[in-house]
Amino acid sequence: MYESANVADDADRTAFRRAEKKYKLYYEQDSKFTRKKKLPKPIDLSELLDFNLISQDYNKNGVLPDGIRVSKVDSSPVFCIENRPGFYFIPGALSLEEQCKWIKESLTNFPQPPNRTNHNAIYGPIADLFDSAKDNKVLVQEDLVNNKWKFYEEVDTVKAKQSNCKSVSASVLLRKLRWSTLGLQFDWSKRNYDVSLPHNNIPDALCQLAKTHAAIAMPDGEEFRPEGAIVNYFGIGDTLGGHLDDMEVDWSKPIVSMSLGCKAIFLLGGKSKDDPPHAMYLRSGDVVLMAGEARECFHGVPRIFTDEENAEIGALESELSHESGHFFAEYIKTSRININIRQVL
């Protein structure tokens, strides 16, 4: 998705691509350590919007930076960017308890069949991936002709290897989980929703949460209908290139985007990639809405911060460890999860 740093001059890139390159994670070339120990190249983060700090300043002094306004104040302010109508940022919208709940759901229930994930194309439906990773199981191809796979205890895979069966550990598959779909299923190969595919409904609690946050961006007199959701999973070095979410019928309805886990950089561009994007931090618990004109704006995630100093998830790790043992906390300390809820029809 990204060109190497020496392929093209900045002059050959759009403003959006230059921003992606600027904020993407690169490592020092002369590092003598392994990839896990390489030092990230320093970058200038001074131009990023930090709505957490903006919120603190606004609550204390009633002051806003140029170009930022408050759309509505309830229990906490909701911020807008004047030249990006339809974009709403709600810092710290999810409580620590809610964050823990939806992290656990995203790892255990959301990838469950019949919901589809990026693994379906190779392995078919995979049930109980998180629990299998927790138990150190291995996925083994039992039937080559019909592409049937099954989880086995690690000690049982010796026979499979002797039979030359393909296998992959559940922990590797969990780390390679990139997306899952809830409600109406999105067909990534055709870039549209396939209403004929079997699916689990979006949980009622998540629907209600989405409706509550979407209300400020809805046309007067209308209520948001959560019909489909895409859950994105990010690991170390992962990015999401500039794109549009343009497959839903009515763009006046918002996409409700919930951030969980490690802090990230979010780019909000314009209707062309030549428009300079706004760069901002996204922290665990933040909610972003994109409706109306904002649905036509390119956006992406060029970086997540997984180092202890910048990830800003100490309290979240502690709460997850206390609630559910170390496995959820170990996963999220180097990961980000993003739940995007949409009204499809």
Side-chain angles (χ1 to χ4, degrees):
M1 185 178 293
Y2 294 91
E3 300 173 9
S4 61
N6 59 355
V7 168
D9 230 304
D10 275 0
D12 297 327
R13 297 174 181 267
T14 63
F16 200 98
R17 291 282 280 160
R18 287 197 295 273
E20 287 179 320
K21 178 187 174 185
K22 175 180 178 179
Y23 293 117
K24 188 185 176 186
L25 174 62
Y26 293 103
Y27 291 96
E28 297 285 7
Q29 294 299 314
D30 59 351
S31 174
K32 298 179 181 179
F33 302 104
T34 64
R35 181 170 179 80
K36 288 185 178 179
K37 296 293 184 181
K38 282 183 178 178
L39 295 175
K41 283 188 175 181
I43 58 173
D44 180 8
L45 302 173
S46 62
E47 296 180 356
L48 266 74
L49 288 170
D50 188 335
F51 282 104
N52 187 41
L53 292 180
I54 290 172
S55 180
Q56 291 176 23
D57 288 343
Y58 177 76
N59 289 332
K60 183 177 181 180
N61 304 312
V63 176
L64 291 172
D66 291 341
I68 305 297
R69 61 182 178 84
V70 172
S71 174
K72 178 181 178 182
V73 177
D74 193 357
S75 58
S76 61
V78 178
F79 297 102
C80 303
I81 300 176
E82 289 181 352
N83 64 358
R84 296 293 185 270
F87 176 81
Y88 303 83
F89 195 111
I90 314 173
L94 305 180
S95 68
L96 201 58
E97 181 181 359
E98 288 173 320
Q99 293 171 52
C100 290
K101 173 182 174 64
W102 298 118
I103 286 170
K104 289 186 286 186
E105 288 290 306
S106 296
L107 292 173
T108 56
N109 292 328
F110 293 172
Q112 286 285 82
N115 294 344
R116 298 167 66 83
T117 76
N118 57 294
H119 290 319
N120 278 66
I122 298 176
Y123 306 103
I126 299 177
D128 304 320
L129 175 58
F130 186 83
D131 287 340
S132 297
K134 192 175 177 181
D135 295 337
N136 294 314
K137 290 186 177 181
V138 176
L139 189 68
V140 177
Q141 189 177 34
E142 290 190 311
D143 184 342
L144 180 62
V145 175
N146 296 302
N147 194 35
K148 299 294 184 182
W149 298 74
K150 182 179 177 180
F151 280 119
Y152 285 90
E153 300 292 340
E154 197 168 22
V155 293
D156 295 333
T157 60
V158 176
K159 184 178 179 180
K161 289 180 180 178
Q162 292 173 346
S163 304
N164 294 320
C165 294
K166 293 181 180 179
S167 63
V168 59
S169 72
S171 59
V172 168
L173 289 174
L174 181 62
R175 276 297 170 189
K176 290 186 176 181
L177 182 64
R178 292 293 172 263
W179 55 263
S180 62
T181 48
L182 310 178
L184 296 179
Q185 298 290 287
F186 189 78
D187 187 332
W188 292 82
S189 62
K190 299 176 183 177
R191 290 202 77 246
N192 62 20
Y193 289 92
D194 188 341
V195 297
S196 68
L197 290 174
H199 60 271
N200 294 328
N201 290 330
I202 300 174
D204 289 342
L206 187 58
C207 284
Q208 190 54 53
L209 191 61
K211 287 180 181 180
T212 298
H213 290 303
I216 59 174
M218 287 294 293
D220 289 343
E222 297 189 43
E223 183 180 68
F224 184 65
R225 298 197 311 271
E227 295 167 329
I230 298 174
V231 185
N232 298 115
Y233 305 82
F234 297 79
I236 297 173
D238 286 344
T239 63
L240 183 62
H243 66 285
L244 299 175
D245 293 303
D246 55 0
M247 298 284 57
E248 291 75 35
V249 173
D250 186 353
W251 290 7
S252 71
K253 308 302 188 296
I255 289 179
V256 182
S257 178
M258 303 178 183
S259 289
L260 304 166
C262 293
K263 185 174 70 177
I265 295 176
F266 178 72
L267 297 178
L268 175 65
K271 297 180 182 181
S272 164
K273 285 192 174 182
D274 292 321
D275 298 325
H278 294 277
M280 64 197 76
Y281 289 117
L282 276 176
R283 293 178 173 86
S284 193
D286 291 343
V287 170
V288 163
L289 310 174
M290 296 181 70
E293 288 189 42
R295 291 290 301 268
E296 303 176 58
C297 293
F298 284 93
H299 55 281
V301 178
R303 183 168 185 160
I304 70 166
F305 295 92
T306 57
D307 60 292
E308 187 175 349
E309 181 182 356
N310 293 298
E312 297 188 25
I313 56 168
L316 180 60
E317 282 185 63
S318 178
E319 185 70 14
L320 279 170
S321 296
H322 176 72
E323 276 189 8
S324 311
H326 74 283
F327 208 77
F328 287 103
E330 280 299 310
Y331 176 91
I332 208 63
K333 72 190 296 184
T334 57
S335 304
R336 174 179 181 264
I337 298 172
N338 184 227
I339 305 175
N340 297 281
I341 304 151
R342 300 124 187 275
Q343 180 169 321
V344 176
L345 304 174

